[in-house]
Amino acid sequence: MSEEFAIGSKVRVVALPPYIKTAEPMPMLRPPDIIHVGEEGIVLDRRPGGYWGIRFAKGSFLLDSQYIESVETHTQVEQSGEGFQ
């Protein structure tokens, strides 16, 4: 089951797919080095096929939920101390 993200929420790239698809009306494939692991973006919308439209500094791209994580959830875990023992 894929993770759900709220529109407008911040997400972080945790892994790169072999190619990245642009979030344009006519999507194009780009090499994965256009974004990098750890880069943060804002969720624009949900697309068919389990993809999320995300705006990054270098443009808007479509990523599957397996390649991203919510920044807010990760920050809350760190602040509560649950991630450290």
PDB file of all heavy atoms in Angstrom, residues 32-70:
ATOM      1  N   PRO A  32      17.996  10.684 -13.612  1.00  0.00           N
ATOM      2  CA  PRO A  32      17.709  10.877 -12.183  1.00  0.00           C
ATOM      3  C   PRO A  32      18.578  11.922 -11.499  1.00  0.00           C
ATOM      4  O   PRO A  32      18.234  12.389 -10.418  1.00  0.00           O
ATOM      5  CB  PRO A  32      17.948   9.495 -11.582  1.00  0.00           C
ATOM      6  CG  PRO A  32      18.899   8.846 -12.526  1.00  0.00           C
ATOM      7  CD  PRO A  32      18.559   9.375 -13.891  1.00  0.00           C
ATOM      8  N   ASP A  33      19.684  12.336 -12.115  1.00  0.00           N
ATOM      9  CA  ASP A  33      20.556  13.294 -11.435  1.00  0.00           C
ATOM     10  C   ASP A  33      20.037  14.733 -11.472  1.00  0.00           C
ATOM     11  O   ASP A  33      20.691  15.648 -10.991  1.00  0.00           O
ATOM     12  CB  ASP A  33      21.982  13.223 -11.997  1.00  0.00           C
ATOM     13  CG  ASP A  33      22.065  13.585 -13.469  1.00  0.00           C
ATOM     14  OD1 ASP A  33      21.013  13.788 -14.112  1.00  0.00           O
ATOM     15  OD2 ASP A  33      23.197  13.663 -13.979  1.00  0.00           O
ATOM     16  N   ILE A  34      18.840  14.930 -12.002  1.00  0.00           N
ATOM     17  CA  ILE A  34      18.245  16.271 -12.004  1.00  0.00           C
ATOM     18  C   ILE A  34      17.789  16.665 -10.587  1.00  0.00           C
ATOM     19  O   ILE A  34      17.710  17.837 -10.256  1.00  0.00           O
ATOM     20  CB  ILE A  34      17.100  16.368 -13.032  1.00  0.00           C
ATOM     21  CG1 ILE A  34      16.809  17.828 -13.351  1.00  0.00           C
ATOM     22  CG2 ILE A  34      15.868  15.654 -12.559  1.00  0.00           C
ATOM     23  CD1 ILE A  34      16.075  18.028 -14.648  1.00  0.00           C
ATOM     24  N   ILE A  35      17.504  15.663  -9.756  1.00  0.00           N
ATOM     25  CA  ILE A  35      17.253  15.886  -8.325  1.00  0.00           C
ATOM     26  C   ILE A  35      18.187  14.957  -7.560  1.00  0.00           C
ATOM     27  O   ILE A  35      18.804  14.076  -8.147  1.00  0.00           O
ATOM     28  CB  ILE A  35      15.777  15.636  -7.924  1.00  0.00           C
ATOM     29  CG1 ILE A  35      15.360  14.198  -8.213  1.00  0.00           C
ATOM     30  CG2 ILE A  35      14.860  16.634  -8.591  1.00  0.00           C
ATOM     31  CD1 ILE A  35      13.966  13.862  -7.710  1.00  0.00           C
ATOM     32  N   HIS A  36      18.302  15.142  -6.255  1.00  0.00           N
ATOM     33  CA  HIS A  36      19.203  14.296  -5.478  1.00  0.00           C
ATOM     34  C   HIS A  36      18.520  13.802  -4.202  1.00  0.00           C
ATOM     35  O   HIS A  36      17.534  14.376  -3.753  1.00  0.00           O
ATOM     36  CB  HIS A  36      20.503  15.043  -5.148  1.00  0.00           C
ATOM     37  CG  HIS A  36      20.275  16.310  -4.374  1.00  0.00           C
ATOM     38  ND1 HIS A  36      19.972  17.507  -4.980  1.00  0.00           N
ATOM     39  CD2 HIS A  36      20.289  16.551  -3.047  1.00  0.00           C
ATOM     40  CE1 HIS A  36      19.810  18.433  -4.051  1.00  0.00           C
ATOM     41  NE2 HIS A  36      19.997  17.880  -2.877  1.00  0.00           N
ATOM     42  N   VAL A  37      19.049  12.735  -3.641  1.00  0.00           N
ATOM     43  CA  VAL A  37      18.527  12.171  -2.392  1.00  0.00           C
ATOM     44  C   VAL A  37      18.667  13.227  -1.297  1.00  0.00           C
ATOM     45  O   VAL A  37      19.710  13.864  -1.165  1.00  0.00           O
ATOM     46  CB  VAL A  37      19.282  10.878  -2.008  1.00  0.00           C
ATOM     47  CG1 VAL A  37      18.854  10.387  -0.637  1.00  0.00           C
ATOM     48  CG2 VAL A  37      19.054   9.799  -3.054  1.00  0.00           C
ATOM     49  N   GLY A  38      17.614  13.426  -0.541  1.00  0.00           N
ATOM     50  CA  GLY A  38      17.603  14.423   0.525  1.00  0.00           C
ATOM     51  C   GLY A  38      16.960  15.735   0.109  1.00  0.00           C
ATOM     52  O   GLY A  38      16.643  16.570   0.950  1.00  0.00           O
ATOM     53  N   GLU A  39      16.756  15.939  -1.191  1.00  0.00           N
ATOM     54  CA  GLU A  39      16.128  17.173  -1.667  1.00  0.00           C
ATOM     55  C   GLU A  39      14.658  17.193  -1.250  1.00  0.00           C
ATOM     56  O   GLU A  39      13.977  16.173  -1.257  1.00  0.00           O
ATOM     57  CB  GLU A  39      16.245  17.269  -3.184  1.00  0.00           C
ATOM     58  CG  GLU A  39      15.781  18.592  -3.737  1.00  0.00           C
ATOM     59  CD  GLU A  39      16.146  18.803  -5.194  1.00  0.00           C
ATOM     60  OE1 GLU A  39      16.918  17.998  -5.748  1.00  0.00           O
ATOM     61  OE2 GLU A  39      15.656  19.774  -5.759  1.00  0.00           O
ATOM     62  N   GLU A  40      14.178  18.378  -0.875  1.00  0.00           N
ATOM     63  CA  GLU A  40      12.793  18.531  -0.426  1.00  0.00           C
ATOM     64  C   GLU A  40      11.971  19.236  -1.483  1.00  0.00           C
ATOM     65  O   GLU A  40      12.476  20.083  -2.215  1.00  0.00           O
ATOM     66  CB  GLU A  40      12.745  19.307   0.890  1.00  0.00           C
ATOM     67  CG  GLU A  40      13.382  18.560   2.029  1.00  0.00           C
ATOM     68  CD  GLU A  40      13.293  19.303   3.348  1.00  0.00           C
ATOM     69  OE1 GLU A  40      12.698  20.397   3.403  1.00  0.00           O
ATOM     70  OE2 GLU A  40      13.837  18.781   4.332  1.00  0.00           O
ATOM     71  N   GLY A  41      10.703  18.858  -1.554  1.00  0.00           N
ATOM     72  CA  GLY A  41       9.779  19.467  -2.499  1.00  0.00           C
ATOM     73  C   GLY A  41       8.393  19.561  -1.893  1.00  0.00           C
ATOM     74  O   GLY A  41       8.146  19.083  -0.780  1.00  0.00           O
ATOM     75  N   ILE A  42       7.475  20.161  -2.626  1.00  0.00           N
ATOM     76  CA  ILE A  42       6.100  20.349  -2.164  1.00  0.00           C
ATOM     77  C   ILE A  42       5.165  19.538  -3.053  1.00  0.00           C
ATOM     78  O   ILE A  42       5.246  19.603  -4.289  1.00  0.00           O
ATOM     79  CB  ILE A  42       5.715  21.838  -2.196  1.00  0.00           C
ATOM     80  CG1 ILE A  42       6.621  22.606  -1.236  1.00  0.00           C
ATOM     81  CG2 ILE A  42       4.251  22.037  -1.849  1.00  0.00           C
ATOM     82  CD1 ILE A  42       6.436  24.096  -1.262  1.00  0.00           C
ATOM     83  N   VAL A  43       4.262  18.785  -2.426  1.00  0.00           N
ATOM     84  CA  VAL A  43       3.304  17.949  -3.156  1.00  0.00           C
ATOM     85  C   VAL A  43       2.285  18.851  -3.852  1.00  0.00           C
ATOM     86  O   VAL A  43       1.632  19.677  -3.213  1.00  0.00           O
ATOM     87  CB  VAL A  43       2.588  16.971  -2.199  1.00  0.00           C
ATOM     88  CG1 VAL A  43       1.532  16.172  -2.946  1.00  0.00           C
ATOM     89  CG2 VAL A  43       3.581  16.047  -1.527  1.00  0.00           C
ATOM     90  N   LEU A  44       2.175  18.683  -5.174  1.00  0.00           N
ATOM     91  CA  LEU A  44       1.229  19.464  -5.965  1.00  0.00           C
ATOM     92  C   LEU A  44      -0.099  18.736  -6.138  1.00  0.00           C
ATOM     93  O   LEU A  44      -1.162  19.342  -6.036  1.00  0.00           O
ATOM     94  CB  LEU A  44       1.810  19.756  -7.358  1.00  0.00           C
ATOM     95  CG  LEU A  44       3.110  20.545  -7.399  1.00  0.00           C
ATOM     96  CD1 LEU A  44       3.630  20.613  -8.827  1.00  0.00           C
ATOM     97  CD2 LEU A  44       2.889  21.935  -6.842  1.00  0.00           C
ATOM     98  N   ASP A  45      -0.025  17.430  -6.434  1.00  0.00           N
ATOM     99  CA  ASP A  45      -1.241  16.660  -6.671  1.00  0.00           C
ATOM    100  C   ASP A  45      -0.944  15.171  -6.713  1.00  0.00           C
ATOM    101  O   ASP A  45       0.202  14.750  -6.681  1.00  0.00           O
ATOM    102  CB  ASP A  45      -1.915  17.091  -7.975  1.00  0.00           C
ATOM    103  CG  ASP A  45      -1.013  16.960  -9.202  1.00  0.00           C
ATOM    104  OD1 ASP A  45       0.088  16.396  -9.078  1.00  0.00           O
ATOM    105  OD2 ASP A  45      -1.410  17.427 -10.273  1.00  0.00           O
ATOM    106  N   ARG A  46      -2.028  14.392  -6.777  1.00  0.00           N
ATOM    107  CA  ARG A  46      -1.936  12.936  -6.907  1.00  0.00           C
ATOM    108  C   ARG A  46      -2.256  12.590  -8.350  1.00  0.00           C
ATOM    109  O   ARG A  46      -3.209  13.112  -8.910  1.00  0.00           O
ATOM    110  CB  ARG A  46      -2.944  12.288  -5.957  1.00  0.00           C
ATOM    111  CG  ARG A  46      -3.076  10.790  -6.079  1.00  0.00           C
ATOM    112  CD  ARG A  46      -1.928  10.103  -5.379  1.00  0.00           C
ATOM    113  NE  ARG A  46      -1.959   8.690  -5.612  1.00  0.00           N
ATOM    114  CZ  ARG A  46      -1.992   7.778  -4.657  1.00  0.00           C
ATOM    115  NH1 ARG A  46      -2.005   8.136  -3.408  1.00  0.00           N
ATOM    116  NH2 ARG A  46      -1.991   6.521  -4.958  1.00  0.00           N
ATOM    117  N   ARG A  47      -1.475  11.741  -8.963  1.00  0.00           N
ATOM    118  CA  ARG A  47      -1.684  11.359 -10.364  1.00  0.00           C
ATOM    119  C   ARG A  47      -2.045   9.876 -10.446  1.00  0.00           C
ATOM    120  O   ARG A  47      -1.739   9.096  -9.544  1.00  0.00           O
ATOM    121  CB  ARG A  47      -0.418  11.601 -11.184  1.00  0.00           C
ATOM    122  CG  ARG A  47       0.085  13.027 -11.171  1.00  0.00           C
ATOM    123  CD  ARG A  47      -0.763  13.923 -12.054  1.00  0.00           C
ATOM    124  NE  ARG A  47      -0.321  15.300 -11.990  1.00  0.00           N
ATOM    125  CZ  ARG A  47       0.465  15.882 -12.894  1.00  0.00           C
ATOM    126  NH1 ARG A  47       0.907  15.206 -13.921  1.00  0.00           N
ATOM    127  NH2 ARG A  47       0.785  17.153 -12.751  1.00  0.00           N
ATOM    128  N   PRO A  48      -2.663   9.463 -11.551  1.00  0.00           N
ATOM    129  CA  PRO A  48      -2.979   8.041 -11.741  1.00  0.00           C
ATOM    130  C   PRO A  48      -1.710   7.184 -11.712  1.00  0.00           C
ATOM    131  O   PRO A  48      -0.624   7.649 -12.042  1.00  0.00           O
ATOM    132  CB  PRO A  48      -3.618   8.003 -13.134  1.00  0.00           C
ATOM    133  CG  PRO A  48      -4.130   9.385 -13.363  1.00  0.00           C
ATOM    134  CD  PRO A  48      -3.170  10.294 -12.637  1.00  0.00           C
ATOM    135  N   GLY A  49      -1.868   5.952 -11.305  1.00  0.00           N
ATOM    136  CA  GLY A  49      -0.746   5.023 -11.272  1.00  0.00           C
ATOM    137  C   GLY A  49       0.087   5.135 -10.008  1.00  0.00           C
ATOM    138  O   GLY A  49       1.191   4.608  -9.943  1.00  0.00           O
ATOM    139  N   GLY A  50      -0.403   5.841  -8.992  1.00  0.00           N
ATOM    140  CA  GLY A  50       0.319   5.957  -7.732  1.00  0.00           C
ATOM    141  C   GLY A  50       1.422   7.003  -7.732  1.00  0.00           C
ATOM    142  O   GLY A  50       2.280   6.992  -6.864  1.00  0.00           O
ATOM    143  N   TYR A  51       1.415   7.905  -8.699  1.00  0.00           N
ATOM    144  CA  TYR A  51       2.437   8.943  -8.764  1.00  0.00           C
ATOM    145  C   TYR A  51       1.982  10.209  -8.050  1.00  0.00           C
ATOM    146  O   TYR A  51       0.793  10.500  -7.973  1.00  0.00           O
ATOM    147  CB  TYR A  51       2.770   9.290 -10.221  1.00  0.00           C
ATOM    148  CG  TYR A  51       3.569   8.239 -10.916  1.00  0.00           C
ATOM    149  CD1 TYR A  51       2.947   7.264 -11.690  1.00  0.00           C
ATOM    150  CD2 TYR A  51       4.949   8.201 -10.809  1.00  0.00           C
ATOM    151  CE1 TYR A  51       3.685   6.284 -12.329  1.00  0.00           C
ATOM    152  CE2 TYR A  51       5.699   7.226 -11.446  1.00  0.00           C
ATOM    153  CZ  TYR A  51       5.049   6.276 -12.203  1.00  0.00           C
ATOM    154  OH  TYR A  51       5.785   5.311 -12.833  1.00  0.00           O
ATOM    155  N   TRP A  52       2.957  10.952  -7.557  1.00  0.00           N
ATOM    156  CA  TRP A  52       2.714  12.242  -6.913  1.00  0.00           C
ATOM    157  C   TRP A  52       3.421  13.319  -7.702  1.00  0.00           C
ATOM    158  O   TRP A  52       4.589  13.165  -8.053  1.00  0.00           O
ATOM    159  CB  TRP A  52       3.262  12.228  -5.478  1.00  0.00           C
ATOM    160  CG  TRP A  52       2.517  11.285  -4.604  1.00  0.00           C
ATOM    161  CD1 TRP A  52       2.835   9.989  -4.342  1.00  0.00           C
ATOM    162  CD2 TRP A  52       1.318  11.552  -3.879  1.00  0.00           C
ATOM    163  NE1 TRP A  52       1.907   9.428  -3.505  1.00  0.00           N
ATOM    164  CE2 TRP A  52       0.957  10.376  -3.208  1.00  0.00           C
ATOM    165  CE3 TRP A  52       0.505  12.680  -3.739  1.00  0.00           C
ATOM    166  CZ2 TRP A  52      -0.176  10.296  -2.404  1.00  0.00           C
ATOM    167  CZ3 TRP A  52      -0.614  12.596  -2.937  1.00  0.00           C
ATOM    168  CH2 TRP A  52      -0.945  11.411  -2.283  1.00  0.00           C
ATOM    169  N   GLY A  53       2.714  14.411  -7.993  1.00  0.00           N
ATOM    170  CA  GLY A  53       3.328  15.571  -8.624  1.00  0.00           C
ATOM    171  C   GLY A  53       4.000  16.395  -7.536  1.00  0.00           C
ATOM    172  O   GLY A  53       3.351  16.779  -6.567  1.00  0.00           O
ATOM    173  N   ILE A  54       5.306  16.628  -7.670  1.00  0.00           N
ATOM    174  CA  ILE A  54       6.072  17.324  -6.631  1.00  0.00           C
ATOM    175  C   ILE A  54       6.892  18.438  -7.269  1.00  0.00           C
ATOM    176  O   ILE A  54       7.576  18.208  -8.265  1.00  0.00           O
ATOM    177  CB  ILE A  54       7.005  16.347  -5.887  1.00  0.00           C
ATOM    178  CG1 ILE A  54       6.191  15.197  -5.317  1.00  0.00           C
ATOM    179  CG2 ILE A  54       7.786  17.073  -4.795  1.00  0.00           C
ATOM    180  CD1 ILE A  54       7.011  14.054  -4.801  1.00  0.00           C
ATOM    181  N   ARG A  55       6.835  19.634  -6.669  1.00  0.00           N
ATOM    182  CA  ARG A  55       7.627  20.764  -7.160  1.00  0.00           C
ATOM    183  C   ARG A  55       8.946  20.825  -6.411  1.00  0.00           C
ATOM    184  O   ARG A  55       8.988  20.919  -5.189  1.00  0.00           O
ATOM    185  CB  ARG A  55       6.885  22.084  -6.970  1.00  0.00           C
ATOM    186  CG  ARG A  55       7.677  23.258  -7.554  1.00  0.00           C
ATOM    187  CD  ARG A  55       7.061  24.624  -7.315  1.00  0.00           C
ATOM    188  NE  ARG A  55       5.642  24.653  -7.537  1.00  0.00           N
ATOM    189  CZ  ARG A  55       4.756  25.031  -6.609  1.00  0.00           C
ATOM    190  NH1 ARG A  55       5.141  25.387  -5.415  1.00  0.00           N
ATOM    191  NH2 ARG A  55       3.473  25.043  -6.879  1.00  0.00           N
ATOM    192  N   PHE A  56      10.033  20.754  -7.165  1.00  0.00           N
ATOM    193  CA  PHE A  56      11.389  20.901  -6.632  1.00  0.00           C
ATOM    194  C   PHE A  56      11.983  22.198  -7.180  1.00  0.00           C
ATOM    195  O   PHE A  56      11.376  22.857  -8.015  1.00  0.00           O
ATOM    196  CB  PHE A  56      12.263  19.710  -7.055  1.00  0.00           C
ATOM    197  CG  PHE A  56      11.846  18.398  -6.458  1.00  0.00           C
ATOM    198  CD1 PHE A  56      11.105  17.490  -7.191  1.00  0.00           C
ATOM    199  CD2 PHE A  56      12.195  18.069  -5.156  1.00  0.00           C
ATOM    200  CE1 PHE A  56      10.720  16.279  -6.638  1.00  0.00           C
ATOM    201  CE2 PHE A  56      11.813  16.865  -4.593  1.00  0.00           C
ATOM    202  CZ  PHE A  56      11.074  15.965  -5.340  1.00  0.00           C
ATOM    203  N   ALA A  57      13.187  22.537  -6.762  1.00  0.00           N
ATOM    204  CA  ALA A  57      13.851  23.752  -7.216  1.00  0.00           C
ATOM    205  C   ALA A  57      14.075  23.748  -8.734  1.00  0.00           C
ATOM    206  O   ALA A  57      13.994  24.783  -9.382  1.00  0.00           O
ATOM    207  CB  ALA A  57      15.184  23.926  -6.493  1.00  0.00           C
ATOM    208  N   LYS A  58      14.328  22.583  -9.317  1.00  0.00           N
ATOM    209  CA  LYS A  58      14.625  22.490 -10.755  1.00  0.00           C
ATOM    210  C   LYS A  58      13.410  22.138 -11.604  1.00  0.00           C
ATOM    211  O   LYS A  58      13.554  21.823 -12.779  1.00  0.00           O
ATOM    212  CB  LYS A  58      15.734  21.475 -11.004  1.00  0.00           C
ATOM    213  CG  LYS A  58      17.069  21.919 -10.445  1.00  0.00           C
ATOM    214  CD  LYS A  58      18.157  20.959 -10.832  1.00  0.00           C
ATOM    215  CE  LYS A  58      19.499  21.440 -10.298  1.00  0.00           C
ATOM    216  NZ  LYS A  58      20.564  20.512 -10.652  1.00  0.00           N
ATOM    217  N   GLY A  59      12.212  22.145 -11.015  1.00  0.00           N
ATOM    218  CA  GLY A  59      10.999  21.853 -11.777  1.00  0.00           C
ATOM    219  C   GLY A  59      10.076  20.914 -11.042  1.00  0.00           C
ATOM    220  O   GLY A  59      10.329  20.514  -9.904  1.00  0.00           O
ATOM    221  N   SER A  60       8.981  20.555 -11.710  1.00  0.00           N
ATOM    222  CA  SER A  60       7.990  19.646 -11.140  1.00  0.00           C
ATOM    223  C   SER A  60       8.125  18.272 -11.783  1.00  0.00           C
ATOM    224  O   SER A  60       8.237  18.160 -13.006  1.00  0.00           O
ATOM    225  CB  SER A  60       6.586  20.195 -11.375  1.00  0.00           C
ATOM    226  OG  SER A  60       6.435  21.430 -10.722  1.00  0.00           O
ATOM    227  N   PHE A  61       8.100  17.247 -10.925  1.00  0.00           N
ATOM    228  CA  PHE A  61       8.315  15.883 -11.397  1.00  0.00           C
ATOM    229  C   PHE A  61       7.319  14.934 -10.763  1.00  0.00           C
ATOM    230  O   PHE A  61       6.721  15.235  -9.725  1.00  0.00           O
ATOM    231  CB  PHE A  61       9.745  15.428 -11.070  1.00  0.00           C
ATOM    232  CG  PHE A  61      10.782  16.343 -11.647  1.00  0.00           C
ATOM    233  CD1 PHE A  61      11.393  17.305 -10.872  1.00  0.00           C
ATOM    234  CD2 PHE A  61      11.136  16.245 -12.981  1.00  0.00           C
ATOM    235  CE1 PHE A  61      12.342  18.161 -11.401  1.00  0.00           C
ATOM    236  CE2 PHE A  61      12.081  17.092 -13.530  1.00  0.00           C
ATOM    237  CZ  PHE A  61      12.678  18.057 -12.740  1.00  0.00           C
ATOM    238  N   LEU A  62       7.148  13.763 -11.376  1.00  0.00           N
ATOM    239  CA  LEU A  62       6.262  12.721 -10.863  1.00  0.00           C
ATOM    240  C   LEU A  62       7.104  11.637 -10.202  1.00  0.00           C
ATOM    241  O   LEU A  62       8.013  11.085 -10.825  1.00  0.00           O
ATOM    242  CB  LEU A  62       5.446  12.108 -12.004  1.00  0.00           C
ATOM    243  CG  LEU A  62       4.552  13.073 -12.783  1.00  0.00           C
ATOM    244  CD1 LEU A  62       3.885  12.343 -13.930  1.00  0.00           C
ATOM    245  CD2 LEU A  62       3.524  13.706 -11.874  1.00  0.00           C
ATOM    246  N   LEU A  63       6.800  11.346  -8.944  1.00  0.00           N
ATOM    247  CA  LEU A  63       7.520  10.298  -8.224  1.00  0.00           C
ATOM    248  C   LEU A  63       6.539   9.368  -7.533  1.00  0.00           C
ATOM    249  O   LEU A  63       5.505   9.803  -7.021  1.00  0.00           O
ATOM    250  CB  LEU A  63       8.453  10.902  -7.168  1.00  0.00           C
ATOM    251  CG  LEU A  63       9.667  11.667  -7.674  1.00  0.00           C
ATOM    252  CD1 LEU A  63      10.394  12.320  -6.515  1.00  0.00           C
ATOM    253  CD2 LEU A  63      10.605  10.739  -8.417  1.00  0.00           C
ATOM    254  N   ASP A  64       6.876   8.102  -7.497  1.00  0.00           N
ATOM    255  CA  ASP A  64       6.102   7.106  -6.761  1.00  0.00           C
ATOM    256  C   ASP A  64       6.368   7.298  -5.271  1.00  0.00           C
ATOM    257  O   ASP A  64       7.442   7.742  -4.874  1.00  0.00           O
ATOM    258  CB  ASP A  64       6.547   5.713  -7.212  1.00  0.00           C
ATOM    259  CG  ASP A  64       5.616   4.629  -6.736  1.00  0.00           C
ATOM    260  OD1 ASP A  64       5.354   4.562  -5.526  1.00  0.00           O
ATOM    261  OD2 ASP A  64       5.148   3.851  -7.570  1.00  0.00           O
ATOM    262  N   SER A  65       5.415   6.930  -4.426  1.00  0.00           N
ATOM    263  CA  SER A  65       5.550   7.135  -2.981  1.00  0.00           C
ATOM    264  C   SER A  65       6.718   6.358  -2.376  1.00  0.00           C
ATOM    265  O   SER A  65       7.203   6.720  -1.301  1.00  0.00           O
ATOM    266  CB  SER A  65       4.254   6.777  -2.262  1.00  0.00           C
ATOM    267  OG  SER A  65       3.903   5.442  -2.507  1.00  0.00           O
ATOM    268  N   GLN A  66       7.223   5.308  -3.043  1.00  0.00           N
ATOM    269  CA  GLN A  66       8.366   4.562  -2.501  1.00  0.00           C
ATOM    270  C   GLN A  66       9.655   5.371  -2.526  1.00  0.00           C
ATOM    271  O   GLN A  66      10.615   5.034  -1.843  1.00  0.00           O
ATOM    272  CB  GLN A  66       8.557   3.250  -3.248  1.00  0.00           C
ATOM    273  CG  GLN A  66       9.025   3.429  -4.684  1.00  0.00           C
ATOM    274  CD  GLN A  66       9.198   2.100  -5.389  1.00  0.00           C
ATOM    275  OE1 GLN A  66       9.261   1.054  -4.749  1.00  0.00           O
ATOM    276  NE2 GLN A  66       9.278   2.135  -6.700  1.00  0.00           N
ATOM    277  N   TYR A  67       9.692   6.458  -3.297  1.00  0.00           N
ATOM    278  CA  TYR A  67      10.896   7.275  -3.414  1.00  0.00           C
ATOM    279  C   TYR A  67      10.871   8.525  -2.536  1.00  0.00           C
ATOM    280  O   TYR A  67      11.842   9.277  -2.528  1.00  0.00           O
ATOM    281  CB  TYR A  67      11.110   7.697  -4.871  1.00  0.00           C
ATOM    282  CG  TYR A  67      11.288   6.517  -5.795  1.00  0.00           C
ATOM    283  CD1 TYR A  67      10.322   6.191  -6.731  1.00  0.00           C
ATOM    284  CD2 TYR A  67      12.423   5.723  -5.717  1.00  0.00           C
ATOM    285  CE1 TYR A  67      10.480   5.102  -7.581  1.00  0.00           C
ATOM    286  CE2 TYR A  67      12.591   4.634  -6.552  1.00  0.00           C
ATOM    287  CZ  TYR A  67      11.615   4.328  -7.487  1.00  0.00           C
ATOM    288  OH  TYR A  67      11.781   3.253  -8.312  1.00  0.00           O
ATOM    289  N   ILE A  68       9.779   8.748  -1.807  1.00  0.00           N
ATOM    290  CA  ILE A  68       9.656   9.965  -0.999  1.00  0.00           C
ATOM    291  C   ILE A  68       9.129   9.647   0.393  1.00  0.00           C
ATOM    292  O   ILE A  68       8.525   8.595   0.612  1.00  0.00           O
ATOM    293  CB  ILE A  68       8.726  11.002  -1.676  1.00  0.00           C
ATOM    294  CG1 ILE A  68       7.370  10.396  -2.008  1.00  0.00           C
ATOM    295  CG2 ILE A  68       9.381  11.592  -2.909  1.00  0.00           C
ATOM    296  CD1 ILE A  68       6.365  11.352  -2.613  1.00  0.00           C
ATOM    297  N   GLU A  69       9.397  10.559   1.328  1.00  0.00           N
ATOM    298  CA  GLU A  69       8.851  10.458   2.677  1.00  0.00           C
ATOM    299  C   GLU A  69       8.394  11.841   3.100  1.00  0.00           C
ATOM    300  O   GLU A  69       8.897  12.855   2.609  1.00  0.00           O
ATOM    301  CB  GLU A  69       9.894   9.922   3.664  1.00  0.00           C
ATOM    302  CG  GLU A  69      11.019  10.902   3.955  1.00  0.00           C
ATOM    303  CD  GLU A  69      12.028  10.383   4.963  1.00  0.00           C
ATOM    304  OE1 GLU A  69      11.911   9.239   5.413  1.00  0.00           O
ATOM    305  OE2 GLU A  69      12.946  11.153   5.285  1.00  0.00           O
ATOM    306  N   SER A  70       7.464  11.884   4.032  1.00  0.00           N
ATOM    307  CA  SER A  70       6.971  13.156   4.538  1.00  0.00           C
ATOM    308  C   SER A  70       8.011  13.802   5.439  1.00  0.00           C
ATOM    309  O   SER A  70       8.593  13.154   6.299  1.00  0.00           O
ATOM    310  CB  SER A  70       5.676  12.921   5.318  1.00  0.00           C
ATOM    311  OG  SER A  70       5.234  14.113   5.895  1.00  0.00           O
TER     312      SER A  70
END
